[in-house]
């Protein structure tokens, strides 16, 4: 009984998630949702995956990485090469995308051992640009004109990937390893002094985060028909960063909510790209000036329902407000 | 001869990077902030110079001065509105604000005048080619190099010989102690932003003359490369930024000369990552250990 009480919230969310899946599947099958809405839904899911994976690196581990589009690009191209050039099934493409991006994450995770804060940020930004320029110059993947990819992303695929991403990242955060990562975010030197292997956890966070960014890349590539290096510039990285920052540095549900809302906003502002970017940047500046921890801080959505318990001295995981 | 030709081109390009890098390094030295908007101040300077020449019909030097003055004002406004309230905030918040300011300047410019590129008037500087032992040196690149050198010497003079320069060095060393000694820290930081942004504005005009094409998003890549140059020389160190800028320009020209011109932009970032891994303090810097 005690286990059920502790895990009740988890199983309720799983059941709700599958109910959501079934409803959307039915709506798509019955043709109620038109292509425009399905597109928006897929982009939303891809953005949520990107936001969640970057949240693990920035929000939980406090490693300020702004080259996330690089991992996204590696995943997109790796899966496209698998399915289009080598004619392998989509599942292999998705898996390869994740693994390729994870290897890239390891490569960039290793320098992160020596870099902190601003320097890490600029190094990851440089990494993202190197990926883009490399893709631009490799003729095998089509150079600047990009690769055409057949449409293979379906709603069950999108849902499965999104579900696994959220599940892994949420459970990782609440595990011993996640606690270790949070301690690194709060104070790296103190965490090190307490016997936490900071090297191991920083690289692990990069590896897991980039793995899921790669999978998001695979879904994106097989949804978009064509992928070009210019889709993965650092404006894309900034987009992902904005989801995480606006949602709240350190709040998974915050990042997810921000990704969903901003995807809707940018879909509606698609015909006015300048206005969209001006609104984005003003919101970003105002949030940083008046609420530097983001809209949700480190609180999760579920803790909004638990306020009574917290007031009685129960566990309150919304206490800390510092990042990096 | 080919090698020397590339060296000459690289030095012209490098002096532009050096001018932008000086702004990064001064701001970083004084408030420990990567001013992402610096590349966009450079872009604004370029456009101010362009409009001064085409609409007001002025010559090279008035346009240069106008661009420098308006960029100085812009830099001070950015500092007052966006960075000053965050002086004691977490580093990550300041960095994200800087990204926000950068995007804001870019897209407001696009909103105001559209994204189409503009061609710089080529008659601004006398264009004569000088042949020296088989190496072609255009008078333009001599002008560019000369202007950059004069500005850099002027900067050295300001930093080392004037009162505000002394205040800047004091604040950069220890802001609290400087405040106790009666230095107005806020004004000093404003002055730093003004000088750095003015140099970026000058670099913008020079860049326009050198490349002839300007557009609202042009600040991003030179801005990032100038940052690489600042890191290469050791961020916060003024001579380091000059040497880093020149070095980066020369390396880029040599890479182009070897026939890998498409990889040119990538090389700058590879250098960045290598220098950050092997010598994070830069070529001229000393390693400082973080204290608990």
């Amino acid at each position: 009984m005690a286990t059920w009480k502790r895990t009740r919230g988890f199983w309720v969310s799983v059941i709700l998630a599958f109910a959501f899946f079934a409803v959307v599947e039915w709506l798509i099958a019955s043709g109620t949702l038109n292509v425009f809405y399905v597109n928006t839904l897929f982009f939303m899911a891809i953005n949520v995956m990107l936001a969640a994976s970057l949240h693990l690196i920035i929000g939980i581990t406090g490693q300020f990485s702004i080259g996330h589009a690089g991992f996204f690009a590696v995943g997109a191209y790796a899966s496209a090469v698998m399915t289009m050039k080598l004619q392998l099934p989509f599942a292999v493409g998705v898996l390869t995308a994740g693994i390729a991006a994870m290897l890239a994450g390891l490569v960039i995770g290793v320098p992160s051992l020596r870099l902190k804060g601003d320097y890490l940020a600029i190094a990851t930004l440089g990494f993202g640009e190197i990926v883009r320029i490399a893709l631009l110059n490799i003729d095998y993947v089509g150079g600047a004109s990009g690769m055409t990819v057949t449409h293979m992303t379906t709603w069950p695929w999108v849902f499965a990937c999104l579900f696994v991403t959220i599940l892994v990242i949420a459970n990782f955060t609440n595990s011993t390893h996640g606690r270790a990562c949070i301690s690194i975010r709060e104070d790296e030197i103190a965490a090190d002094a307490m016997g936490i292997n900071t090297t191991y956890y920083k690289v692990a966070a990069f590896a897991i985060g980039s793995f899921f960014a790669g999978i998001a890349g695979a879904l994106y590539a097989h949804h978009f028909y064509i992928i070009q290096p210019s889709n993965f510039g650092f404006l894309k990285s900034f987009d992902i960063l904005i989801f995480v920052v606006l949602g709240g540095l350190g709040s998974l549900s915050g990042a997810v909510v921000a990704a969903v809302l901003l995807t809707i906003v940018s879909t509606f502002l698609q015909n006015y790209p300048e206005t969209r970017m001006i609104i984005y940047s003003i919101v970003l500046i105002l949030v940083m000036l008046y609420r530097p921890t983001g809209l949700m801080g480190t609180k999760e959505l579920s803790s909004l329902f638990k306020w009574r318990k917290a007031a009685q001295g129960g566990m309150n995981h919304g206490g800390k407000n510092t990042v990096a | 001869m080919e090698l020397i030709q590339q060296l000459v081109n690289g030095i012209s390009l490098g002096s532009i990077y050096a001018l932008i890098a000086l702004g990064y390094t001064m701001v970083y030295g004084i408030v420990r902030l990567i001013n992402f908007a610096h590349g966009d101040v450079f872009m604004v300077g370029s456009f101010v110079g362009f409009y001064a020449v085409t609409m007001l019909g002025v010559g090279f030097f008035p346009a240069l001065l106008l661009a420098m003055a308006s960029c100085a004002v812009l830099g001070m406004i950015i500092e007052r509105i966006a960075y000053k309230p965050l002086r004691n905030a977490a580093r990550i918040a300041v960095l994200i604000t800087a990204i926000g300011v950068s995007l804001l300047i870019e897209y407001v410019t696009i909103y105001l005048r559209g994204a189409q590129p503009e061609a710089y008037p080529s008659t601004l500087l006398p264009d004569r080619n000088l042949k020296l032992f088989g190496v072609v040196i255009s008078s333009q690149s001599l002008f560019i190099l000369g202007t950059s050198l004069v500005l850099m010497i002027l900067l050295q003079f300001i930093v080392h010989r004037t009162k505000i320069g002394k205040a800047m060095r004091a604040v950069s060393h220890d802001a609290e102690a400087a405040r106790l000694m009666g230095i107005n820290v806020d004004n000093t930081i404003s002055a730093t932003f003004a000088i750095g942004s003015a140099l970026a504005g000058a670099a913008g005009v020079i860049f326009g003359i050198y490349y002839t094409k300007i557009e609202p998003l042009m600040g991003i890549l030179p801005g990032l490369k100038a940052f690489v140059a600042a890191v290469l020389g050791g961020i916060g160190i003024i001579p380091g930024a000059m040497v880093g800028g020149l070095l980066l320009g020369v390396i880029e020209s040599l890479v182009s000369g070897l026939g890998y011109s498409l990889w040119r932009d990538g090389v700058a970032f590879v250098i960045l990552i290598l220098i950050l891994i092997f010598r994070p303090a830069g070529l001229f810097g000393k390693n400082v250990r973080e204290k608990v």
Side-chain angles (χ1 to χ4, degrees):
Chain A
M1 253 347 253
T3 331
W4 164 246
K5 226 172 192 172
R6 204 151 34 81
T7 57
R8 189 176 48 194
F10 169 72
W11 289 112
V12 168
S13 338
V14 170
I15 290 166
L16 281 178
F18 275 96
F20 175 69
F21 165 70
V23 169
V24 173
E25 177 69 28
W26 178 72
L27 285 175
I28 293 175
S30 67
T32 321
L33 281 181
N34 64 23
V35 180
F36 176 75
Y37 288 110
V38 173
N39 260 335
T40 312
L41 189 70
F42 281 18
F43 277 125
M44 223 181 257
I46 290 168
N47 281 339
V48 167
M49 287 175 71
L50 289 170
S53 57
L54 187 63
H55 153 82
L56 180 66
I57 300 174
I58 298 188
I60 298 297
T61 322
Q63 301 299 299
F64 198 33
S65 159
I66 51 178
H68 216 53
F71 303 126
F72 186 47
V74 168
Y77 272 88
S79 69
V81 166
M82 283 294 147
T83 55
M84 302 314 295
K85 301 269 181 196
L86 307 177
Q87 308 293 343
L88 291 166
F90 184 45
V92 178
V94 172
L95 203 63
T96 320
I99 292 169
M102 187 165 86
L103 292 177
L106 289 175
V107 168
I108 199 68
V110 173
S112 83
L113 309 177
R114 303 196 52 167
L115 304 174
K116 280 195 189 76
D118 305 346
Y119 283 98
L120 177 62
I122 204 82
T124 49
L125 183 73
F127 160 78
E129 281 299 284
I130 290 173
V131 168
R132 188 180 65 81
I133 293 163
L135 291 174
L136 208 56
N137 287 296
I138 298 173
D139 289 329
Y140 183 66
V141 295
S145 52
M147 268 177 96
T148 44
V149 187
T150 47
H151 187 103
M152 294 189 198
T153 308
T154 55
W155 171 240
W157 269 109
V158 172
F159 177 80
C161 294
L162 181 63
F163 183 73
V164 171
T165 308
I166 300 285
L167 195 70
V168 169
I169 290 177
N171 282 342
F172 181 84
T173 310
N174 290 324
S175 70
T176 327
H177 306 285
R179 302 275 165 224
C181 288
I182 292 174
S183 76
I184 294 173
R185 172 187 83 190
E186 296 296 333
D187 191 332
E188 192 176 332
I189 297 172
D192 202 18
M194 296 307 286
I196 286 168
N197 188 346
T198 52
T199 308
Y200 171 78
Y201 285 110
K202 285 198 283 186
V203 175
F206 261 105
I208 298 173
S210 49
F211 179 81
F212 288 113
I215 287 186
L219 295 180
Y220 176 81
H222 291 84
H223 178 63
F224 206 59
Y225 298 107
I226 185 155
I227 46 174
Q228 290 170 319
S230 55
N231 297 343
F232 306 101
F234 55 87
L235 275 180
K236 185 69 200 169
S237 295
F238 286 172
D239 266 355
I240 307 169
L241 179 69
I242 290 169
F243 298 144
V244 177
V245 171
L246 279 190
L249 288 157
S251 165
L252 177 60
S253 39
V256 170
V257 170
V260 169
L261 288 180
L262 288 178
T263 312
I264 296 172
V265 171
S266 52
T267 310
F268 282 108
L269 289 176
Q270 213 148 45
N271 297 328
Y272 314 96
E274 295 94 52
T275 325
R276 179 180 87 105
M277 292 311 291
I278 291 175
I279 294 174
Y280 255 38
S281 51
I282 290 177
V283 169
L284 198 61
I285 297 168
L286 289 181
V287 170
M288 281 300 118
L289 288 184
Y290 295 106
R291 208 173 153 76
T293 48
L295 296 177
M296 304 263 300
T298 50
K299 287 190 181 63
E300 294 295 340
L301 215 51
S302 55
S303 59
L304 294 178
F305 302 108
K306 283 186 191 148
W307 60 276
R308 199 184 294 271
K309 218 199 252 165
Q312 288 166 0
M315 198 183 75
N316 178 10
H317 50 245
K320 295 272 172 58
N321 277 320
T322 50
V323 166
Chain B
M1 281 307 115
E2 181 65 23
L3 185 74
I4 298 172
Q5 182 73 60
Q6 294 297 347
L7 275 179
V8 170
N9 293 344
I11 288 170
S12 306
L13 180 64
S15 60
I16 296 176
Y17 288 151
L19 278 182
I20 314 174
L22 284 170
Y24 272 116
T25 222
M26 285 168 68
V27 166
Y28 193 91
I30 206 155
V31 282
R32 302 270 172 270
L33 155 72
I34 299 176
N35 183 9
F36 263 105
H38 197 63
D40 303 295
V41 172
F42 156 80
M43 175 273 291
V44 170
S46 193
F47 271 99
V48 169
F50 172 77
Y51 286 121
V53 171
T54 50
M55 289 186 175
L56 304 178
V58 297
F60 172 69
F61 284 107
L64 189 74
L65 289 179
L66 200 60
M68 287 174 74
S70 35
C71 284
V73 173
L74 179 66
M76 278 157 75
I77 293 173
I78 292 173
E79 196 270 331
R80 272 292 142 90
I81 293 175
Y83 299 149
K84 196 178 167 206
L86 288 170
R87 204 149 295 156
N88 297 314
R91 297 281 290 280
I92 198 163
V94 189
L95 194 57
I96 291 166
T97 312
I99 293 173
V101 173
S102 161
L103 291 176
L104 186 65
I105 297 177
E106 283 160 19
Y107 286 91
V108 165
T109 312
I110 292 182
Y111 187 80
L112 291 178
R113 62 163 297 283
Q116 76 280 7
E118 210 78 68
Y120 240 75
S122 54
T123 50
L124 210 50
L125 287 178
D127 195 8
R128 246 179 260 116
N129 282 338
L130 204 70
K131 273 220 173 105
L132 215 69
F133 311 114
V135 179
V136 182
I137 304 172
S138 72
S139 56
Q140 282 196 350
S141 51
L142 283 180
F143 251 109
I144 290 171
L145 193 60
T147 314
S148 317
L149 277 179
V150 168
L151 287 173
M152 286 180 205
I153 292 167
L154 198 65
L155 179 70
Q156 279 292 346
F157 175 80
I158 291 174
V159 170
H160 288 284
R161 292 277 184 275
T162 61
K163 210 169 166 185
I164 189 76
K166 205 170 195 174
M168 278 160 58
R169 282 182 289 148
V171 173
S172 144
H173 193 72
D174 187 337
E176 272 316 301
R179 202 188 301 273
L180 290 175
M181 300 313 285
I183 291 172
N184 188 335
V185 173
D186 286 338
N187 282 356
T188 312
I189 292 176
S190 276
T192 312
F193 267 84
I195 296 173
S197 305
L199 292 175
V205 177
I206 294 173
F207 183 91
I209 292 169
Y210 193 69
Y211 279 97
T212 64
K213 197 186 98 175
I214 59 171
E215 44 131 1
L217 295 181
M218 71 185 231
I220 299 174
L221 212 52
L224 286 177
K225 283 189 196 159
F227 179 77
V228 175
V231 173
L232 183 62
I235 194 151
I237 304 162
I238 288 176
M242 297 181 196
V243 174
L246 288 174
L247 206 58
L248 189 67
V250 169
I251 293 172
E252 269 193 20
S253 293
L254 290 181
V255 170
S256 305
L258 288 173
Y260 297 101
S261 55
L262 286 171
W263 290 92
R264 206 180 66 176
D265 297 340
V267 169
F269 294 110
V270 172
I271 293 176
L272 171 74
I273 290 180
L274 289 180
I275 197 96
L276 284 177
I277 293 173
F278 292 110
R279 206 173 153 73
L283 297 177
F284 286 59
K286 286 195 292 274
N287 263 321
V288 186
R289 283 200 75 82
E290 186 179 349
K291 294 195 196 89
V292 181

